[in-house]
Amino acid sequence: MRFVTKTIHAWLDYPVAIALIGLPFVLGLGASNPLALAISPVVGVAALLLTVFTDHHLGVVRVLPYKLHLSVDLAVGVLFLLLPFALSFSGLDAAYYLLNGAAVVAVIALSKPDADLASA
């Protein structure tokens, strides 16, 4: 049932990073805690850099292993799931982080083992 290939994942990375940077401002996050507005854009910039440096076909400077990329994505997904509770986000702030966290964890769970990953 794992169908998210390395190629699909690479194509998702850039628009997701850009959304993480811009959507908090478009949605007006930060009502329950100013950090709700600040964290996502910082993570979005980091995600963009991670993608640029990942060894996949859309990486620009391919120095980071794809397996590391997946590990960082999973850590960010778990972080986003925990942030609403740790920082008392509520309403749209909480929903934004919970939905993003769940989506990232789901993509990782549905990621198809890469030939390189299977042998690692």
Side-chain angles (χ1 to χ4, degrees), residues 34-59:
L35 289 174
L37 176 63
I39 293 170
S40 181
V42 171
V43 171
V45 169
L48 187 60
L49 290 171
L50 179 66
T51 300
V52 166
F53 287 101
T54 296
D55 184 16
H56 58 45
H57 73 285
L58 293 179

mmCIF file with all atom_site columns, all heavy atoms in Angstrom, residues 34-59:
data_model
loop_
_atom_site.group_PDB
_atom_site.id
_atom_site.type_symbol
_atom_site.label_atom_id
_atom_site.label_alt_id
_atom_site.label_comp_id
_atom_site.label_asym_id
_atom_site.label_entity_id
_atom_site.label_seq_id
_atom_site.pdbx_PDB_ins_code
_atom_site.Cartn_x
_atom_site.Cartn_y
_atom_site.Cartn_z
_atom_site.occupancy
_atom_site.B_iso_or_equiv
_atom_site.pdbx_formal_charge
_atom_site.auth_seq_id
_atom_site.auth_comp_id
_atom_site.auth_asym_id
_atom_site.auth_atom_id
_atom_site.pdbx_PDB_model_num
ATOM 1   N N   . PRO A 1 34 ? 1.618  33.840 19.372  1.00 0.00 ? 34 PRO A N   1
ATOM 2   C CA  . PRO A 1 34 ? 2.391  34.401 18.255  1.00 0.00 ? 34 PRO A CA  1
ATOM 3   C C   . PRO A 1 34 ? 3.335  33.392 17.602  1.00 0.00 ? 34 PRO A C   1
ATOM 4   O O   . PRO A 1 34 ? 3.667  33.520 16.424  1.00 0.00 ? 34 PRO A O   1
ATOM 5   C CB  . PRO A 1 34 ? 3.172  35.548 18.886  1.00 0.00 ? 34 PRO A CB  1
ATOM 6   C CG  . PRO A 1 34 ? 2.537  35.831 20.193  1.00 0.00 ? 34 PRO A CG  1
ATOM 7   C CD  . PRO A 1 34 ? 1.797  34.610 20.608  1.00 0.00 ? 34 PRO A CD  1
ATOM 8   N N   . LEU A 1 35 ? 3.747  32.381 18.340  1.00 0.00 ? 35 LEU A N   1
ATOM 9   C CA  . LEU A 1 35 ? 4.640  31.370 17.764  1.00 0.00 ? 35 LEU A CA  1
ATOM 10  C C   . LEU A 1 35 ? 3.960  30.554 16.668  1.00 0.00 ? 35 LEU A C   1
ATOM 11  O O   . LEU A 1 35 ? 4.631  29.999 15.796  1.00 0.00 ? 35 LEU A O   1
ATOM 12  C CB  . LEU A 1 35 ? 5.177  30.445 18.854  1.00 0.00 ? 35 LEU A CB  1
ATOM 13  C CG  . LEU A 1 35 ? 6.193  31.079 19.804  1.00 0.00 ? 35 LEU A CG  1
ATOM 14  C CD1 . LEU A 1 35 ? 6.546  30.114 20.931  1.00 0.00 ? 35 LEU A CD1 1
ATOM 15  C CD2 . LEU A 1 35 ? 7.433  31.514 19.056  1.00 0.00 ? 35 LEU A CD2 1
ATOM 16  N N   . ALA A 1 36 ? 2.641  30.505 16.694  1.00 0.00 ? 36 ALA A N   1
ATOM 17  C CA  . ALA A 1 36 ? 1.913  29.781 15.642  1.00 0.00 ? 36 ALA A CA  1
ATOM 18  C C   . ALA A 1 36 ? 2.152  30.422 14.278  1.00 0.00 ? 36 ALA A C   1
ATOM 19  O O   . ALA A 1 36 ? 2.146  29.739 13.253  1.00 0.00 ? 36 ALA A O   1
ATOM 20  C CB  . ALA A 1 36 ? 0.423  29.731 15.955  1.00 0.00 ? 36 ALA A CB  1
ATOM 21  N N   . LEU A 1 37 ? 2.366  31.727 14.273  1.00 0.00 ? 37 LEU A N   1
ATOM 22  C CA  . LEU A 1 37 ? 2.674  32.428 13.024  1.00 0.00 ? 37 LEU A CA  1
ATOM 23  C C   . LEU A 1 37 ? 4.144  32.283 12.659  1.00 0.00 ? 37 LEU A C   1
ATOM 24  O O   . LEU A 1 37 ? 4.492  32.188 11.490  1.00 0.00 ? 37 LEU A O   1
ATOM 25  C CB  . LEU A 1 37 ? 2.323  33.913 13.145  1.00 0.00 ? 37 LEU A CB  1
ATOM 26  C CG  . LEU A 1 37 ? 2.668  34.799 11.947  1.00 0.00 ? 37 LEU A CG  1
ATOM 27  C CD1 . LEU A 1 37 ? 1.884  34.363 10.713  1.00 0.00 ? 37 LEU A CD1 1
ATOM 28  C CD2 . LEU A 1 37 ? 2.393  36.253 12.273  1.00 0.00 ? 37 LEU A CD2 1
ATOM 29  N N   . ALA A 1 38 ? 5.019  32.211 13.631  1.00 0.00 ? 38 ALA A N   1
ATOM 30  C CA  . ALA A 1 38 ? 6.456  32.250 13.377  1.00 0.00 ? 38 ALA A CA  1
ATOM 31  C C   . ALA A 1 38 ? 7.083  30.902 13.030  1.00 0.00 ? 38 ALA A C   1
ATOM 32  O O   . ALA A 1 38 ? 8.005  30.835 12.214  1.00 0.00 ? 38 ALA A O   1
ATOM 33  C CB  . ALA A 1 38 ? 7.167  32.828 14.598  1.00 0.00 ? 38 ALA A CB  1
ATOM 34  N N   . ILE A 1 39 ? 6.606  29.834 13.618  1.00 0.00 ? 39 ILE A N   1
ATOM 35  C CA  . ILE A 1 39 ? 7.286  28.534 13.482  1.00 0.00 ? 39 ILE A CA  1
ATOM 36  C C   . ILE A 1 39 ? 7.203  27.976 12.066  1.00 0.00 ? 39 ILE A C   1
ATOM 37  O O   . ILE A 1 39 ? 8.213  27.533 11.499  1.00 0.00 ? 39 ILE A O   1
ATOM 38  C CB  . ILE A 1 39 ? 6.751  27.525 14.519  1.00 0.00 ? 39 ILE A CB  1
ATOM 39  C CG1 . ILE A 1 39 ? 7.150  27.971 15.924  1.00 0.00 ? 39 ILE A CG1 1
ATOM 40  C CG2 . ILE A 1 39 ? 7.249  26.116 14.220  1.00 0.00 ? 39 ILE A CG2 1
ATOM 41  C CD1 . ILE A 1 39 ? 6.484  27.186 17.045  1.00 0.00 ? 39 ILE A CD1 1
ATOM 42  N N   . SER A 1 40 ? 6.032  27.971 11.488  1.00 0.00 ? 40 SER A N   1
ATOM 43  C CA  . SER A 1 40 ? 5.866  27.367 10.163  1.00 0.00 ? 40 SER A CA  1
ATOM 44  C C   . SER A 1 40 ? 6.753  27.999 9.092   1.00 0.00 ? 40 SER A C   1
ATOM 45  O O   . SER A 1 40 ? 7.386  27.267 8.317   1.00 0.00 ? 40 SER A O   1
ATOM 46  C CB  . SER A 1 40 ? 4.394  27.415 9.750   1.00 0.00 ? 40 SER A CB  1
ATOM 47  O OG  . SER A 1 40 ? 4.204  26.812 8.496   1.00 0.00 ? 40 SER A OG  1
ATOM 48  N N   . PRO A 1 41 ? 6.841  29.326 8.989   1.00 0.00 ? 41 PRO A N   1
ATOM 49  C CA  . PRO A 1 41 ? 7.744  29.891 7.973   1.00 0.00 ? 41 PRO A CA  1
ATOM 50  C C   . PRO A 1 41 ? 9.205  29.506 8.179   1.00 0.00 ? 41 PRO A C   1
ATOM 51  O O   . PRO A 1 41 ? 9.923  29.252 7.205   1.00 0.00 ? 41 PRO A O   1
ATOM 52  C CB  . PRO A 1 41 ? 7.541  31.403 8.118   1.00 0.00 ? 41 PRO A CB  1
ATOM 53  C CG  . PRO A 1 41 ? 6.181  31.544 8.697   1.00 0.00 ? 41 PRO A CG  1
ATOM 54  C CD  . PRO A 1 41 ? 6.018  30.376 9.611   1.00 0.00 ? 41 PRO A CD  1
ATOM 55  N N   . VAL A 1 42 ? 9.642  29.428 9.422   1.00 0.00 ? 42 VAL A N   1
ATOM 56  C CA  . VAL A 1 42 ? 11.023 29.011 9.694   1.00 0.00 ? 42 VAL A CA  1
ATOM 57  C C   . VAL A 1 42 ? 11.222 27.567 9.242   1.00 0.00 ? 42 VAL A C   1
ATOM 58  O O   . VAL A 1 42 ? 12.213 27.235 8.578   1.00 0.00 ? 42 VAL A O   1
ATOM 59  C CB  . VAL A 1 42 ? 11.370 29.189 11.191  1.00 0.00 ? 42 VAL A CB  1
ATOM 60  C CG1 . VAL A 1 42 ? 12.712 28.552 11.525  1.00 0.00 ? 42 VAL A CG1 1
ATOM 61  C CG2 . VAL A 1 42 ? 11.358 30.660 11.566  1.00 0.00 ? 42 VAL A CG2 1
ATOM 62  N N   . VAL A 1 43 ? 10.266 26.709 9.581   1.00 0.00 ? 43 VAL A N   1
ATOM 63  C CA  . VAL A 1 43 ? 10.338 25.306 9.153   1.00 0.00 ? 43 VAL A CA  1
ATOM 64  C C   . VAL A 1 43 ? 10.249 25.221 7.632   1.00 0.00 ? 43 VAL A C   1
ATOM 65  O O   . VAL A 1 43 ? 10.932 24.405 7.005   1.00 0.00 ? 43 VAL A O   1
ATOM 66  C CB  . VAL A 1 43 ? 9.236  24.460 9.833   1.00 0.00 ? 43 VAL A CB  1
ATOM 67  C CG1 . VAL A 1 43 ? 9.156  23.066 9.234   1.00 0.00 ? 43 VAL A CG1 1
ATOM 68  C CG2 . VAL A 1 43 ? 9.478  24.390 11.337  1.00 0.00 ? 43 VAL A CG2 1
ATOM 69  N N   . GLY A 1 44 ? 9.453  26.075 7.015   1.00 0.00 ? 44 GLY A N   1
ATOM 70  C CA  . GLY A 1 44 ? 9.334  26.091 5.555   1.00 0.00 ? 44 GLY A CA  1
ATOM 71  C C   . GLY A 1 44 ? 10.648 26.433 4.866   1.00 0.00 ? 44 GLY A C   1
ATOM 72  O O   . GLY A 1 44 ? 11.024 25.799 3.877   1.00 0.00 ? 44 GLY A O   1
ATOM 73  N N   . VAL A 1 45 ? 11.361 27.409 5.396   1.00 0.00 ? 45 VAL A N   1
ATOM 74  C CA  . VAL A 1 45 ? 12.677 27.768 4.839   1.00 0.00 ? 45 VAL A CA  1
ATOM 75  C C   . VAL A 1 45 ? 13.641 26.598 5.014   1.00 0.00 ? 45 VAL A C   1
ATOM 76  O O   . VAL A 1 45 ? 14.380 26.238 4.089   1.00 0.00 ? 45 VAL A O   1
ATOM 77  C CB  . VAL A 1 45 ? 13.226 29.058 5.488   1.00 0.00 ? 45 VAL A CB  1
ATOM 78  C CG1 . VAL A 1 45 ? 14.686 29.282 5.117   1.00 0.00 ? 45 VAL A CG1 1
ATOM 79  C CG2 . VAL A 1 45 ? 12.374 30.261 5.089   1.00 0.00 ? 45 VAL A CG2 1
ATOM 80  N N   . ALA A 1 46 ? 13.616 25.981 6.202   1.00 0.00 ? 46 ALA A N   1
ATOM 81  C CA  . ALA A 1 46 ? 14.482 24.815 6.438   1.00 0.00 ? 46 ALA A CA  1
ATOM 82  C C   . ALA A 1 46 ? 14.115 23.670 5.492   1.00 0.00 ? 46 ALA A C   1
ATOM 83  O O   . ALA A 1 46 ? 15.003 22.997 4.952   1.00 0.00 ? 46 ALA A O   1
ATOM 84  C CB  . ALA A 1 46 ? 14.372 24.366 7.895   1.00 0.00 ? 46 ALA A CB  1
ATOM 85  N N   . ALA A 1 47 ? 12.819 23.467 5.264   1.00 0.00 ? 47 ALA A N   1
ATOM 86  C CA  . ALA A 1 47 ? 12.368 22.412 4.349   1.00 0.00 ? 47 ALA A CA  1
ATOM 87  C C   . ALA A 1 47 ? 12.818 22.692 2.918   1.00 0.00 ? 47 ALA A C   1
ATOM 88  O O   . ALA A 1 47 ? 13.200 21.774 2.181   1.00 0.00 ? 47 ALA A O   1
ATOM 89  C CB  . ALA A 1 47 ? 10.847 22.275 4.410   1.00 0.00 ? 47 ALA A CB  1
ATOM 90  N N   . LEU A 1 48 ? 12.773 23.945 2.528   1.00 0.00 ? 48 LEU A N   1
ATOM 91  C CA  . LEU A 1 48 ? 13.232 24.323 1.192   1.00 0.00 ? 48 LEU A CA  1
ATOM 92  C C   . LEU A 1 48 ? 14.729 24.033 1.042   1.00 0.00 ? 48 LEU A C   1
ATOM 93  O O   . LEU A 1 48 ? 15.161 23.449 0.042   1.00 0.00 ? 48 LEU A O   1
ATOM 94  C CB  . LEU A 1 48 ? 12.938 25.804 0.948   1.00 0.00 ? 48 LEU A CB  1
ATOM 95  C CG  . LEU A 1 48 ? 13.192 26.334 -0.446  1.00 0.00 ? 48 LEU A CG  1
ATOM 96  C CD1 . LEU A 1 48 ? 12.350 25.606 -1.480  1.00 0.00 ? 48 LEU A CD1 1
ATOM 97  C CD2 . LEU A 1 48 ? 12.892 27.831 -0.489  1.00 0.00 ? 48 LEU A CD2 1
ATOM 98  N N   . LEU A 1 49 ? 15.503 24.400 2.045   1.00 0.00 ? 49 LEU A N   1
ATOM 99  C CA  . LEU A 1 49 ? 16.946 24.115 2.012   1.00 0.00 ? 49 LEU A CA  1
ATOM 100 C C   . LEU A 1 49 ? 17.216 22.612 2.017   1.00 0.00 ? 49 LEU A C   1
ATOM 101 O O   . LEU A 1 49 ? 18.084 22.134 1.282   1.00 0.00 ? 49 LEU A O   1
ATOM 102 C CB  . LEU A 1 49 ? 17.642 24.785 3.187   1.00 0.00 ? 49 LEU A CB  1
ATOM 103 C CG  . LEU A 1 49 ? 17.726 26.309 3.127   1.00 0.00 ? 49 LEU A CG  1
ATOM 104 C CD1 . LEU A 1 49 ? 18.243 26.872 4.439   1.00 0.00 ? 49 LEU A CD1 1
ATOM 105 C CD2 . LEU A 1 49 ? 18.590 26.754 1.956   1.00 0.00 ? 49 LEU A CD2 1
ATOM 106 N N   . LEU A 1 50 ? 16.467 21.881 2.832   1.00 0.00 ? 50 LEU A N   1
ATOM 107 C CA  . LEU A 1 50 ? 16.622 20.424 2.864   1.00 0.00 ? 50 LEU A CA  1
ATOM 108 C C   . LEU A 1 50 ? 16.374 19.827 1.484   1.00 0.00 ? 50 LEU A C   1
ATOM 109 O O   . LEU A 1 50 ? 17.125 18.969 1.018   1.00 0.00 ? 50 LEU A O   1
ATOM 110 C CB  . LEU A 1 50 ? 15.655 19.824 3.898   1.00 0.00 ? 50 LEU A CB  1
ATOM 111 C CG  . LEU A 1 50 ? 15.661 18.308 4.039   1.00 0.00 ? 50 LEU A CG  1
ATOM 112 C CD1 . LEU A 1 50 ? 16.995 17.815 4.601   1.00 0.00 ? 50 LEU A CD1 1
ATOM 113 C CD2 . LEU A 1 50 ? 14.504 17.863 4.931   1.00 0.00 ? 50 LEU A CD2 1
ATOM 114 N N   . THR A 1 51 ? 15.341 20.303 0.814   1.00 0.00 ? 51 THR A N   1
ATOM 115 C CA  . THR A 1 51 ? 15.002 19.800 -0.516  1.00 0.00 ? 51 THR A CA  1
ATOM 116 C C   . THR A 1 51 ? 16.084 20.132 -1.535  1.00 0.00 ? 51 THR A C   1
ATOM 117 O O   . THR A 1 51 ? 16.459 19.288 -2.346  1.00 0.00 ? 51 THR A O   1
ATOM 118 C CB  . THR A 1 51 ? 13.646 20.376 -0.965  1.00 0.00 ? 51 THR A CB  1
ATOM 119 O OG1 . THR A 1 51 ? 12.653 19.965 -0.014  1.00 0.00 ? 51 THR A OG1 1
ATOM 120 C CG2 . THR A 1 51 ? 13.259 19.893 -2.336  1.00 0.00 ? 51 THR A CG2 1
ATOM 121 N N   . VAL A 1 52 ? 16.583 21.345 -1.479  1.00 0.00 ? 52 VAL A N   1
ATOM 122 C CA  . VAL A 1 52 ? 17.640 21.771 -2.411  1.00 0.00 ? 52 VAL A CA  1
ATOM 123 C C   . VAL A 1 52 ? 18.879 20.889 -2.259  1.00 0.00 ? 52 VAL A C   1
ATOM 124 O O   . VAL A 1 52 ? 19.524 20.547 -3.252  1.00 0.00 ? 52 VAL A O   1
ATOM 125 C CB  . VAL A 1 52 ? 17.991 23.259 -2.172  1.00 0.00 ? 52 VAL A CB  1
ATOM 126 C CG1 . VAL A 1 52 ? 19.293 23.632 -2.858  1.00 0.00 ? 52 VAL A CG1 1
ATOM 127 C CG2 . VAL A 1 52 ? 16.859 24.157 -2.651  1.00 0.00 ? 52 VAL A CG2 1
ATOM 128 N N   . PHE A 1 53 ? 19.175 20.470 -1.038  1.00 0.00 ? 53 PHE A N   1
ATOM 129 C CA  . PHE A 1 53 ? 20.399 19.703 -0.774  1.00 0.00 ? 53 PHE A CA  1
ATOM 130 C C   . PHE A 1 53 ? 20.196 18.183 -0.740  1.00 0.00 ? 53 PHE A C   1
ATOM 131 O O   . PHE A 1 53 ? 21.145 17.449 -0.494  1.00 0.00 ? 53 PHE A O   1
ATOM 132 C CB  . PHE A 1 53 ? 21.037 20.177 0.537   1.00 0.00 ? 53 PHE A CB  1
ATOM 133 C CG  . PHE A 1 53 ? 21.678 21.520 0.417   1.00 0.00 ? 53 PHE A CG  1
ATOM 134 C CD1 . PHE A 1 53 ? 21.041 22.660 0.890   1.00 0.00 ? 53 PHE A CD1 1
ATOM 135 C CD2 . PHE A 1 53 ? 22.917 21.666 -0.193  1.00 0.00 ? 53 PHE A CD2 1
ATOM 136 C CE1 . PHE A 1 53 ? 21.632 23.912 0.767   1.00 0.00 ? 53 PHE A CE1 1
ATOM 137 C CE2 . PHE A 1 53 ? 23.512 22.910 -0.317  1.00 0.00 ? 53 PHE A CE2 1
ATOM 138 C CZ  . PHE A 1 53 ? 22.867 24.042 0.158   1.00 0.00 ? 53 PHE A CZ  1
ATOM 139 N N   . THR A 1 54 ? 18.971 17.703 -1.004  1.00 0.00 ? 54 THR A N   1
ATOM 140 C CA  . THR A 1 54 ? 18.698 16.266 -0.959  1.00 0.00 ? 54 THR A CA  1
ATOM 141 C C   . THR A 1 54 ? 19.095 15.590 -2.263  1.00 0.00 ? 54 THR A C   1
ATOM 142 O O   . THR A 1 54 ? 18.905 16.122 -3.348  1.00 0.00 ? 54 THR A O   1
ATOM 143 C CB  . THR A 1 54 ? 17.205 16.007 -0.662  1.00 0.00 ? 54 THR A CB  1
ATOM 144 O OG1 . THR A 1 54 ? 16.917 16.512 0.647   1.00 0.00 ? 54 THR A OG1 1
ATOM 145 C CG2 . THR A 1 54 ? 16.869 14.531 -0.705  1.00 0.00 ? 54 THR A CG2 1
ATOM 146 N N   . ASP A 1 55 ? 19.610 14.373 -2.122  1.00 0.00 ? 55 ASP A N   1
ATOM 147 C CA  . ASP A 1 55 ? 20.017 13.571 -3.281  1.00 0.00 ? 55 ASP A CA  1
ATOM 148 C C   . ASP A 1 55 ? 18.792 12.882 -3.896  1.00 0.00 ? 55 ASP A C   1
ATOM 149 O O   . ASP A 1 55 ? 18.515 11.716 -3.653  1.00 0.00 ? 55 ASP A O   1
ATOM 150 C CB  . ASP A 1 55 ? 21.058 12.528 -2.846  1.00 0.00 ? 55 ASP A CB  1
ATOM 151 C CG  . ASP A 1 55 ? 21.597 11.731 -4.011  1.00 0.00 ? 55 ASP A CG  1
ATOM 152 O OD1 . ASP A 1 55 ? 21.412 12.149 -5.172  1.00 0.00 ? 55 ASP A OD1 1
ATOM 153 O OD2 . ASP A 1 55 ? 22.204 10.673 -3.764  1.00 0.00 ? 55 ASP A OD2 1
ATOM 154 N N   . HIS A 1 56 ? 18.020 13.689 -4.653  1.00 0.00 ? 56 HIS A N   1
ATOM 155 C CA  . HIS A 1 56 ? 16.955 13.159 -5.509  1.00 0.00 ? 56 HIS A CA  1
ATOM 156 C C   . HIS A 1 56 ? 16.911 14.005 -6.765  1.00 0.00 ? 56 HIS A C   1
ATOM 157 O O   . HIS A 1 56 ? 17.629 15.008 -6.862  1.00 0.00 ? 56 HIS A O   1
ATOM 158 C CB  . HIS A 1 56 ? 15.604 13.055 -4.799  1.00 0.00 ? 56 HIS A CB  1
ATOM 159 C CG  . HIS A 1 56 ? 15.053 14.325 -4.220  1.00 0.00 ? 56 HIS A CG  1
ATOM 160 N ND1 . HIS A 1 56 ? 15.033 15.538 -4.872  1.00 0.00 ? 56 HIS A ND1 1
ATOM 161 C CD2 . HIS A 1 56 ? 14.481 14.558 -3.015  1.00 0.00 ? 56 HIS A CD2 1
ATOM 162 C CE1 . HIS A 1 56 ? 14.460 16.454 -4.116  1.00 0.00 ? 56 HIS A CE1 1
ATOM 163 N NE2 . HIS A 1 56 ? 14.133 15.882 -2.969  1.00 0.00 ? 56 HIS A NE2 1
ATOM 164 N N   . HIS A 1 57 ? 16.103 13.615 -7.727  1.00 0.00 ? 57 HIS A N   1
ATOM 165 C CA  . HIS A 1 57 ? 16.203 14.250 -9.039  1.00 0.00 ? 57 HIS A CA  1
ATOM 166 C C   . HIS A 1 57 ? 15.870 15.743 -9.050  1.00 0.00 ? 57 HIS A C   1
ATOM 167 O O   . HIS A 1 57 ? 16.240 16.439 -9.986  1.00 0.00 ? 57 HIS A O   1
ATOM 168 C CB  . HIS A 1 57 ? 15.353 13.495 -10.070 1.00 0.00 ? 57 HIS A CB  1
ATOM 169 C CG  . HIS A 1 57 ? 13.886 13.689 -9.918  1.00 0.00 ? 57 HIS A CG  1
ATOM 170 N ND1 . HIS A 1 57 ? 13.161 13.081 -8.920  1.00 0.00 ? 57 HIS A ND1 1
ATOM 171 C CD2 . HIS A 1 57 ? 13.020 14.432 -10.628 1.00 0.00 ? 57 HIS A CD2 1
ATOM 172 C CE1 . HIS A 1 57 ? 11.902 13.453 -9.023  1.00 0.00 ? 57 HIS A CE1 1
ATOM 173 N NE2 . HIS A 1 57 ? 11.785 14.264 -10.049 1.00 0.00 ? 57 HIS A NE2 1
ATOM 174 N N   . LEU A 1 58 ? 15.204 16.258 -8.044  1.00 0.00 ? 58 LEU A N   1
ATOM 175 C CA  . LEU A 1 58 ? 14.935 17.698 -7.987  1.00 0.00 ? 58 LEU A CA  1
ATOM 176 C C   . LEU A 1 58 ? 15.869 18.439 -7.037  1.00 0.00 ? 58 LEU A C   1
ATOM 177 O O   . LEU A 1 58 ? 15.738 19.639 -6.859  1.00 0.00 ? 58 LEU A O   1
ATOM 178 C CB  . LEU A 1 58 ? 13.474 17.945 -7.589  1.00 0.00 ? 58 LEU A CB  1
ATOM 179 C CG  . LEU A 1 58 ? 12.434 17.493 -8.612  1.00 0.00 ? 58 LEU A CG  1
ATOM 180 C CD1 . LEU A 1 58 ? 11.027 17.766 -8.101  1.00 0.00 ? 58 LEU A CD1 1
ATOM 181 C CD2 . LEU A 1 58 ? 12.650 18.168 -9.954  1.00 0.00 ? 58 LEU A CD2 1
ATOM 182 N N   . GLY A 1 59 ? 16.798 17.711 -6.442  1.00 0.00 ? 59 GLY A N   1
ATOM 183 C CA  . GLY A 1 59 ? 17.800 18.362 -5.600  1.00 0.00 ? 59 GLY A CA  1
ATOM 184 C C   . GLY A 1 59 ? 18.765 19.153 -6.459  1.00 0.00 ? 59 GLY A C   1
ATOM 185 O O   . GLY A 1 59 ? 19.125 18.733 -7.558  1.00 0.00 ? 59 GLY A O   1
#
